C-alpha cells in the first residue's frame, strides 16, 4: 500500500483537474507527464506494482486517509477535480448515482396502471422501498420524490443532471 509520503515524492497534483503529474522519470514514465490511464469508467495509476483509482488516490494525497468510498458530486467519473470529490458511505454514494428510469422518464416515478393514467412515487432508503403516494401527473409524483430525496438523502440526493 502506497504511503502519502511516497505519493508526494512521485507526484505533483493539479487539484483543479485531479491529474497527477510525474515528478521524475520512472521506467517508461517521463517527468512532467500526466500519470495514469483511462480504464473503463475511471482514471487509474500504477505505483510500485499496485493499481489505484485516481480519485481515491487524490483523496489520500490531500487528506492522508483512505475514504470508504468517493462520490463525484456531479456524477461525472471523468471529473476528478478535488472540489468535485467527497468522502461517502456506500449508501450515500448510491443515492447520487444516476439510474435507469422507466416509462415515466423520471427517477422514482412509475405508472400506477398500464397506460399511465395515474402515477405513483417511491423512494429507496437503505434496503427498503417506501411508497410516497399516487398522483394525477408524473410531474407531481416527481416533485414528491425530489422532496423525499432531499429529506432522506440530503446533499447526496440525486438530481436530474440537465435540469434546474
Amino acid at each position: 500500500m502506497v504511503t502519502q509520503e511516497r505519493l508526494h515524492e512521485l507526484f505533483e497534483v493539479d487539484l483543479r483537474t485531479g491529474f497527477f503529474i510525474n515528478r521524475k522519470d520512472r521506467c517508461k514514465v517521463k517527468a512532467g507527464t500526466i500519470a495514469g490511464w483511462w480504464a473503463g469508467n475511471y482514471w487509474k495509476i500504477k505505483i510500485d506494482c499496485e493499481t489505484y483509482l485516481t480519485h481515491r488516490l487524490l483523496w489520500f494525497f490531500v487528506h492522508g486517509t483512505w475514504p470508504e468510498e468517493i462520490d463525484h458530486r456531479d456524477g461525472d467519473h471523468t471529473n476528478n477535480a478535488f472540489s468535485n470529490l467527497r468522502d461517502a458511505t456506500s449508501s450515500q454514494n448510491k443515492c447520487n448515482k444516476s439510474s435507469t428510469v422507466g416509462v415515466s422518464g423520471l427517477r422514482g416515478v412509475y405508472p400506477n396502471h398500464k397506460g399511465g393514467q395515474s402515477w405513483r412515487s417511491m423512494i429507496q432508503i437503505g434496503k427498503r422501498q417506501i411508497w410516497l403516494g399516487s398522483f394525477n401527473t408524473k410531474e407531481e409524483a416527481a416533485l414528491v420524490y425530489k422532496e423525499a430525496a432531499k429529506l432522506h438523502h440530503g446533499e447526496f440526493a440525486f438530481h436530474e443532471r440537465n435540469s434546474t
Side-chain angles (χ1 to χ4, degrees):
M1 185 69 81
V2 70
T3 65
Q4 190 182 34
E5 181 180 275
R6 179 81 169 132
L7 282 180
H8 287 272
E9 172 191 333
L10 296 174
F11 306 106
E12 293 176 25
V13 170
D14 181 343
L15 296 177
R16 291 175 300 116
T17 63
F19 285 118
F20 282 71
I21 310 299
N22 293 296
R23 284 187 184 267
K24 54 187 174 181
D25 293 347
R26 302 180 286 128
C27 300
K28 297 178 183 177
V29 174
K30 297 293 180 196
T33 61
I34 293 174
W37 69 96
W38 181 251
N41 293 327
Y42 296 99
W43 279 95
K44 294 183 178 183
I45 296 177
K46 192 167 205 160
I47 305 166
D48 302 329
C49 300
E50 288 284 327
T51 302
Y52 298 90
L53 294 171
T54 303
H55 58 286
R56 293 180 57 79
L57 206 57
L58 181 57
W59 191 269
F60 182 67
F61 183 93
V62 172
H63 290 289
T65 59
W66 290 102
E68 179 179 333
E69 289 196 21
I70 289 291
D71 179 55
H72 290 77
R73 292 176 194 270
D74 67 0
D76 179 0
H77 295 163
T78 66
N79 181 3
N80 281 337
F82 190 71
S83 62
N84 190 45
L85 305 179
R86 59 185 168 186
D87 192 9
T89 65
S90 178
S91 178
Q92 289 169 325
N93 199 7
K94 287 176 184 147
C95 292
N96 191 33
K97 287 188 192 287
S98 61
S99 64
T100 310
V101 292
V103 176
S104 73
L106 299 166
R107 187 176 177 124
V109 177
Y110 310 91
N112 259 337
H113 304 288
K114 290 186 178 182
Q117 297 303 310
S118 67
W119 301 88
R120 61 190 162 102
S121 185
M122 296 172 59
I123 190 168
Q124 182 151 344
I125 301 170
K127 294 182 180 180
R128 292 182 21 227
Q129 276 290 91
I130 297 176
W131 182 72
L132 300 172
S134 289
F135 305 91
N136 292 327
T137 68
K138 64 182 178 179
E139 292 77 16
E140 289 175 297
L143 185 61
V144 170
Y145 172 83
K146 189 174 182 178
E147 291 303 315
K150 281 186 211 172
L151 177 68
H152 294 286
H153 302 315
E155 68 175 296
F156 291 90
F158 175 85
H159 301 291
E160 301 306 321
R161 303 290 183 216
N162 56 3
S163 67
T164 55

